[in-house]
Amino acid sequence: LNSLTGLADVKNDVTSIINLLRIRRIREQRGMKQTPMSLHLVFSGNPGTGKTTVARLLAKIYYRLGVLSKGHLVEVDRSGLVGGYVGQTALKVQEVIQKSLGGVLFVDEAYSLTANKGDNDYGLEAVDTLLKGMEDHRNDLIVIVAGYPDLMNEFLSSNPGLRSRFNKFINFVDYKPDELLSIFVSMCNKAGYTI
């Protein structure tokens, strides 16, 4: 994580989460009481700002800290969760949750689940099923929802259960030109190209 270019605020937020988890682990080992804590996250930012990369790293970090049993990442968007007819959506979401157990479920462009609230839209059913799955598997599943900042606020306001489950926001700012150049140089070096 620390070797990634830029993302200073993201690195600070993740480090804060890691430190909190370490303290919780120490308290647990000493038999001290634990307050319930939600580890589900909202990643907000434009495309190409590192959200998926950080989610993948977080899955591994959570695994190393003993929070997750497998530490893998399952990435989906609306099409991976929403079906075309009644009853199909809940089954799709449940399948994705089963695949994600022990790891991180990363829902990209999560706001698209609640954007169309028409009669034939099953996005809200997907959200309801996802919330139930998060509750049922709270000890071995972490859900990260991602998308544009304004649209993610609308998404969280669409269902009263969402905001209470996702109480930690990590904002991904756009890369600066010198950071983009550094990423480009790094990619060239890894691929054996001379600029």
mmCIF file of all heavy atoms in Angstrom, residues 39-69:
data_model
loop_
_atom_site.group_PDB
_atom_site.id
_atom_site.type_symbol
_atom_site.label_atom_id
_atom_site.label_comp_id
_atom_site.label_asym_id
_atom_site.label_seq_id
_atom_site.Cartn_x
_atom_site.Cartn_y
_atom_site.Cartn_z
ATOM 1 N N LEU A 39 -16.776 -2.767 9.645
ATOM 2 C CA LEU A 39 -15.573 -2.615 8.818
ATOM 3 C C LEU A 39 -15.923 -2.388 7.348
ATOM 4 O O LEU A 39 -15.042 -2.315 6.504
ATOM 5 C CB LEU A 39 -14.684 -3.846 8.953
ATOM 6 C CG LEU A 39 -14.063 -4.055 10.334
ATOM 7 C CD1 LEU A 39 -13.297 -5.362 10.398
ATOM 8 C CD2 LEU A 39 -13.157 -2.893 10.706
ATOM 9 N N HIS A 40 -17.212 -2.294 7.054
ATOM 10 C CA HIS A 40 -17.631 -2.031 5.677
ATOM 11 C C HIS A 40 -17.268 -0.585 5.329
ATOM 12 O O HIS A 40 -17.334 0.312 6.168
ATOM 13 C CB HIS A 40 -19.140 -2.247 5.530
ATOM 14 C CG HIS A 40 -19.578 -3.600 6.000
ATOM 15 N ND1 HIS A 40 -19.137 -4.773 5.419
ATOM 16 C CD2 HIS A 40 -20.398 -3.966 7.006
ATOM 17 C CE1 HIS A 40 -19.687 -5.786 6.050
ATOM 18 N NE2 HIS A 40 -20.444 -5.325 7.012
ATOM 19 N N LEU A 41 -16.879 -0.363 4.075
ATOM 20 C CA LEU A 41 -16.340 0.936 3.680
ATOM 21 C C LEU A 41 -17.016 1.499 2.445
ATOM 22 O O LEU A 41 -17.522 0.751 1.601
ATOM 23 C CB LEU A 41 -14.847 0.808 3.374
ATOM 24 C CG LEU A 41 -13.938 0.325 4.507
ATOM 25 C CD1 LEU A 41 -12.583 -0.071 3.965
ATOM 26 C CD2 LEU A 41 -13.794 1.412 5.545
ATOM 27 N N VAL A 42 -16.981 2.823 2.347
ATOM 28 C CA VAL A 42 -17.395 3.528 1.136
ATOM 29 C C VAL A 42 -16.158 4.160 0.534
ATOM 30 O O VAL A 42 -15.466 4.939 1.194
ATOM 31 C CB VAL A 42 -18.437 4.636 1.450
ATOM 32 C CG1 VAL A 42 -18.788 5.408 0.179
ATOM 33 C CG2 VAL A 42 -19.686 4.056 2.091
ATOM 34 N N PHE A 43 -15.847 3.800 -0.705
ATOM 35 C CA PHE A 43 -14.760 4.430 -1.449
ATOM 36 C C PHE A 43 -15.405 5.390 -2.442
ATOM 37 O O PHE A 43 -16.161 4.965 -3.308
ATOM 38 C CB PHE A 43 -13.954 3.396 -2.233
ATOM 39 C CG PHE A 43 -13.005 2.563 -1.411
ATOM 40 C CD1 PHE A 43 -12.949 2.662 -0.030
ATOM 41 C CD2 PHE A 43 -12.157 1.666 -2.033
ATOM 42 C CE1 PHE A 43 -12.069 1.894 0.710
ATOM 43 C CE2 PHE A 43 -11.267 0.888 -1.306
ATOM 44 C CZ PHE A 43 -11.223 1.004 0.067
ATOM 45 N N SER A 44 -15.119 6.667 -2.311
ATOM 46 C CA SER A 44 -15.678 7.629 -3.263
ATOM 47 C C SER A 44 -14.544 8.303 -4.026
ATOM 48 O O SER A 44 -13.508 8.625 -3.459
ATOM 49 C CB SER A 44 -16.551 8.660 -2.548
ATOM 50 O OG SER A 44 -15.803 9.405 -1.634
ATOM 51 N N GLY A 45 -14.786 8.471 -5.318
ATOM 52 C CA GLY A 45 -13.778 9.088 -6.172
ATOM 53 C C GLY A 45 -14.041 8.761 -7.626
ATOM 54 O O GLY A 45 -14.858 7.900 -7.949
ATOM 55 N N ASN A 46 -13.340 9.447 -8.482
ATOM 56 C CA ASN A 46 -13.496 9.242 -9.918
ATOM 57 C C ASN A 46 -12.859 7.930 -10.354
ATOM 58 O O ASN A 46 -12.008 7.380 -9.644
ATOM 59 C CB ASN A 46 -12.862 10.412 -10.683
ATOM 60 C CG ASN A 46 -13.641 11.697 -10.483
ATOM 61 O OD1 ASN A 46 -14.865 11.687 -10.404
ATOM 62 N ND2 ASN A 46 -12.930 12.810 -10.392
ATOM 63 N N PRO A 47 -13.230 7.420 -11.537
ATOM 64 C CA PRO A 47 -12.571 6.211 -12.055
ATOM 65 C C PRO A 47 -11.067 6.440 -12.224
ATOM 66 O O PRO A 47 -10.631 7.549 -12.505
ATOM 67 C CB PRO A 47 -13.239 6.010 -13.427
ATOM 68 C CG PRO A 47 -14.542 6.736 -13.329
ATOM 69 C CD PRO A 47 -14.297 7.896 -12.415
ATOM 70 N N GLY A 48 -10.291 5.382 -12.014
ATOM 71 C CA GLY A 48 -8.846 5.471 -12.213
ATOM 72 C C GLY A 48 -8.081 6.104 -11.075
ATOM 73 O O GLY A 48 -6.939 6.524 -11.242
ATOM 74 N N THR A 49 -8.690 6.170 -9.888
ATOM 75 C CA THR A 49 -8.001 6.783 -8.747
ATOM 76 C C THR A 49 -7.460 5.750 -7.757
ATOM 77 O O THR A 49 -6.991 6.116 -6.686
ATOM 78 C CB THR A 49 -8.928 7.783 -8.018
ATOM 79 O OG1 THR A 49 -10.167 7.148 -7.718
ATOM 80 C CG2 THR A 49 -9.175 9.021 -8.863
ATOM 81 N N GLY A 50 -7.549 4.458 -8.097
ATOM 82 C CA GLY A 50 -6.935 3.427 -7.248
ATOM 83 C C GLY A 50 -7.876 2.700 -6.312
ATOM 84 O O GLY A 50 -7.421 1.961 -5.433
ATOM 85 N N LYS A 51 -9.177 2.861 -6.477
ATOM 86 C CA LYS A 51 -10.123 2.252 -5.542
ATOM 87 C C LYS A 51 -10.047 0.725 -5.538
ATOM 88 O O LYS A 51 -9.966 0.109 -4.473
ATOM 89 C CB LYS A 51 -11.560 2.716 -5.856
ATOM 90 C CG LYS A 51 -11.762 4.220 -5.666
ATOM 91 C CD LYS A 51 -13.211 4.633 -5.862
ATOM 92 C CE LYS A 51 -13.728 4.444 -7.257
ATOM 93 N NZ LYS A 51 -13.094 5.327 -8.258
ATOM 94 N N THR A 52 -10.045 0.126 -6.727
ATOM 95 C CA THR A 52 -10.005 -1.341 -6.800
ATOM 96 C C THR A 52 -8.673 -1.869 -6.285
ATOM 97 O O THR A 52 -8.629 -2.870 -5.550
ATOM 98 C CB THR A 52 -10.229 -1.822 -8.254
ATOM 99 O OG1 THR A 52 -11.435 -1.225 -8.750
ATOM 100 C CG2 THR A 52 -10.356 -3.324 -8.329
ATOM 101 N N THR A 53 -7.589 -1.209 -6.619
ATOM 102 C CA THR A 53 -6.256 -1.626 -6.163
ATOM 103 C C THR A 53 -6.177 -1.612 -4.644
ATOM 104 O O THR A 53 -5.702 -2.572 -4.019
ATOM 105 C CB THR A 53 -5.170 -0.697 -6.752
ATOM 106 O OG1 THR A 53 -5.265 -0.738 -8.175
ATOM 107 C CG2 THR A 53 -3.783 -1.104 -6.303
ATOM 108 N N VAL A 54 -6.685 -0.543 -4.028
ATOM 109 C CA VAL A 54 -6.644 -0.438 -2.561
ATOM 110 C C VAL A 54 -7.565 -1.484 -1.930
ATOM 111 O O VAL A 54 -7.223 -2.085 -0.907
ATOM 112 C CB VAL A 54 -7.000 0.994 -2.102
ATOM 113 C CG1 VAL A 54 -7.165 1.065 -0.593
ATOM 114 C CG2 VAL A 54 -5.921 1.975 -2.557
ATOM 115 N N ALA A 55 -8.722 -1.740 -2.544
ATOM 116 C CA ALA A 55 -9.640 -2.769 -2.024
ATOM 117 C C ALA A 55 -8.958 -4.134 -2.020
ATOM 118 O O ALA A 55 -9.066 -4.904 -1.051
ATOM 119 C CB ALA A 55 -10.912 -2.810 -2.851
ATOM 120 N N ARG A 56 -8.241 -4.439 -3.102
ATOM 121 C CA ARG A 56 -7.526 -5.718 -3.203
ATOM 122 C C ARG A 56 -6.471 -5.829 -2.094
ATOM 123 O O ARG A 56 -6.329 -6.874 -1.448
ATOM 124 C CB ARG A 56 -6.880 -5.803 -4.584
ATOM 125 C CG ARG A 56 -6.576 -7.195 -5.035
ATOM 126 C CD ARG A 56 -6.197 -7.255 -6.512
ATOM 127 N NE ARG A 56 -7.399 -7.268 -7.335
ATOM 128 C CZ ARG A 56 -7.666 -6.383 -8.308
ATOM 129 N NH1 ARG A 56 -6.806 -5.432 -8.585
ATOM 130 N NH2 ARG A 56 -8.765 -6.471 -9.012
ATOM 131 N N LEU A 57 -5.734 -4.747 -1.866
ATOM 132 C CA LEU A 57 -4.719 -4.738 -0.808
ATOM 133 C C LEU A 57 -5.341 -4.849 0.578
ATOM 134 O O LEU A 57 -4.823 -5.549 1.450
ATOM 135 C CB LEU A 57 -3.872 -3.462 -0.904
ATOM 136 C CG LEU A 57 -2.933 -3.378 -2.108
ATOM 137 C CD1 LEU A 57 -2.336 -1.984 -2.222
ATOM 138 C CD2 LEU A 57 -1.839 -4.424 -2.000
ATOM 139 N N LEU A 58 -6.476 -4.171 0.760
ATOM 140 C CA LEU A 58 -7.158 -4.230 2.057
ATOM 141 C C LEU A 58 -7.607 -5.650 2.383
ATOM 142 O O LEU A 58 -7.549 -6.078 3.535
ATOM 143 C CB LEU A 58 -8.381 -3.307 2.055
ATOM 144 C CG LEU A 58 -8.250 -1.998 2.802
ATOM 145 C CD1 LEU A 58 -9.535 -1.198 2.717
ATOM 146 C CD2 LEU A 58 -7.859 -2.200 4.244
ATOM 147 N N ALA A 59 -8.075 -6.382 1.373
ATOM 148 C CA ALA A 59 -8.486 -7.774 1.596
ATOM 149 C C ALA A 59 -7.322 -8.583 2.157
ATOM 150 O O ALA A 59 -7.476 -9.355 3.108
ATOM 151 C CB ALA A 59 -9.000 -8.381 0.289
ATOM 152 N N LYS A 60 -6.123 -8.371 1.588
ATOM 153 C CA LYS A 60 -4.937 -9.084 2.058
ATOM 154 C C LYS A 60 -4.538 -8.631 3.466
ATOM 155 O O LYS A 60 -4.136 -9.438 4.303
ATOM 156 C CB LYS A 60 -3.773 -8.869 1.084
ATOM 157 C CG LYS A 60 -3.992 -9.534 -0.260
ATOM 158 C CD LYS A 60 -2.857 -9.222 -1.215
ATOM 159 C CE LYS A 60 -3.120 -9.839 -2.577
ATOM 160 N NZ LYS A 60 -2.147 -9.427 -3.582
ATOM 161 N N ILE A 61 -4.640 -7.324 3.700
ATOM 162 C CA ILE A 61 -4.298 -6.783 5.022
ATOM 163 C C ILE A 61 -5.240 -7.345 6.087
ATOM 164 O O ILE A 61 -4.805 -7.792 7.149
ATOM 165 C CB ILE A 61 -4.343 -5.235 5.009
ATOM 166 C CG1 ILE A 61 -3.186 -4.680 4.162
ATOM 167 C CG2 ILE A 61 -4.299 -4.674 6.422
ATOM 168 C CD1 ILE A 61 -3.306 -3.193 3.836
ATOM 169 N N TYR A 62 -6.535 -7.341 5.792
ATOM 170 C CA TYR A 62 -7.523 -7.881 6.735
ATOM 171 C C TYR A 62 -7.267 -9.366 7.013
ATOM 172 O O TYR A 62 -7.445 -9.837 8.125
ATOM 173 C CB TYR A 62 -8.939 -7.688 6.217
ATOM 174 C CG TYR A 62 -9.492 -6.282 6.361
ATOM 175 C CD1 TYR A 62 -10.505 -5.826 5.524
ATOM 176 C CD2 TYR A 62 -9.030 -5.415 7.336
ATOM 177 C CE1 TYR A 62 -11.034 -4.548 5.655
ATOM 178 C CE2 TYR A 62 -9.537 -4.145 7.470
ATOM 179 C CZ TYR A 62 -10.538 -3.718 6.633
ATOM 180 O OH TYR A 62 -11.056 -2.462 6.771
ATOM 181 N N TYR A 63 -6.847 -10.087 5.982
ATOM 182 C CA TYR A 63 -6.528 -11.507 6.160
ATOM 183 C C TYR A 63 -5.336 -11.658 7.102
ATOM 184 O O TYR A 63 -5.355 -12.462 8.039
ATOM 185 C CB TYR A 63 -6.234 -12.155 4.802
ATOM 186 C CG TYR A 63 -5.659 -13.540 4.917
ATOM 187 C CD1 TYR A 63 -6.461 -14.601 5.325
ATOM 188 C CD2 TYR A 63 -4.310 -13.782 4.640
ATOM 189 C CE1 TYR A 63 -5.927 -15.880 5.451
ATOM 190 C CE2 TYR A 63 -3.780 -15.058 4.754
ATOM 191 C CZ TYR A 63 -4.594 -16.093 5.152
ATOM 192 O OH TYR A 63 -4.068 -17.351 5.287
ATOM 193 N N ARG A 64 -4.285 -10.866 6.859
ATOM 194 C CA ARG A 64 -3.081 -10.941 7.698
ATOM 195 C C ARG A 64 -3.374 -10.580 9.155
ATOM 196 O O ARG A 64 -2.753 -11.104 10.077
ATOM 197 C CB ARG A 64 -1.998 -10.003 7.170
ATOM 198 C CG ARG A 64 -1.362 -10.466 5.896
ATOM 199 C CD ARG A 64 -0.203 -11.401 6.205
ATOM 200 N NE ARG A 64 0.338 -12.003 5.001
ATOM 201 C CZ ARG A 64 1.287 -11.483 4.263
ATOM 202 N NH1 ARG A 64 1.806 -10.323 4.580
ATOM 203 N NH2 ARG A 64 1.719 -12.131 3.207
ATOM 204 N N LEU A 65 -4.341 -9.683 9.347
ATOM 205 C CA LEU A 65 -4.691 -9.272 10.708
ATOM 206 C C LEU A 65 -5.657 -10.254 11.371
ATOM 207 O O LEU A 65 -6.032 -10.077 12.527
ATOM 208 C CB LEU A 65 -5.322 -7.874 10.693
ATOM 209 C CG LEU A 65 -4.390 -6.711 10.341
ATOM 210 C CD1 LEU A 65 -5.169 -5.422 10.173
ATOM 211 C CD2 LEU A 65 -3.318 -6.541 11.418
ATOM 212 N N GLY A 66 -6.077 -11.267 10.634
ATOM 213 C CA GLY A 66 -6.988 -12.266 11.195
ATOM 214 C C GLY A 66 -8.446 -11.853 11.187
ATOM 215 O O GLY A 66 -9.283 -12.509 11.810
ATOM 216 N N VAL A 67 -8.773 -10.774 10.468
ATOM 217 C CA VAL A 67 -10.157 -10.302 10.407
ATOM 218 C C VAL A 67 -10.960 -11.152 9.424
ATOM 219 O O VAL A 67 -12.137 -11.425 9.629
ATOM 220 C CB VAL A 67 -10.204 -8.810 9.989
ATOM 221 C CG1 VAL A 67 -11.624 -8.335 9.784
ATOM 222 C CG2 VAL A 67 -9.495 -7.959 11.036
ATOM 223 N N LEU A 68 -10.307 -11.574 8.335
ATOM 224 C CA LEU A 68 -10.953 -12.392 7.308
ATOM 225 C C LEU A 68 -10.242 -13.746 7.200
ATOM 226 O O LEU A 68 -9.037 -13.829 7.418
ATOM 227 C CB LEU A 68 -10.898 -11.687 5.948
ATOM 228 C CG LEU A 68 -11.697 -10.393 5.824
ATOM 229 C CD1 LEU A 68 -11.386 -9.689 4.511
ATOM 230 C CD2 LEU A 68 -13.193 -10.677 5.926
ATOM 231 N N SER A 69 -11.001 -14.780 6.830
ATOM 232 C CA SER A 69 -10.423 -16.127 6.791
ATOM 233 C C SER A 69 -9.702 -16.447 5.480
ATOM 234 O O SER A 69 -8.862 -17.341 5.450
ATOM 235 C CB SER A 69 -11.511 -17.168 7.045
ATOM 236 O OG SER A 69 -12.506 -17.109 6.039
#
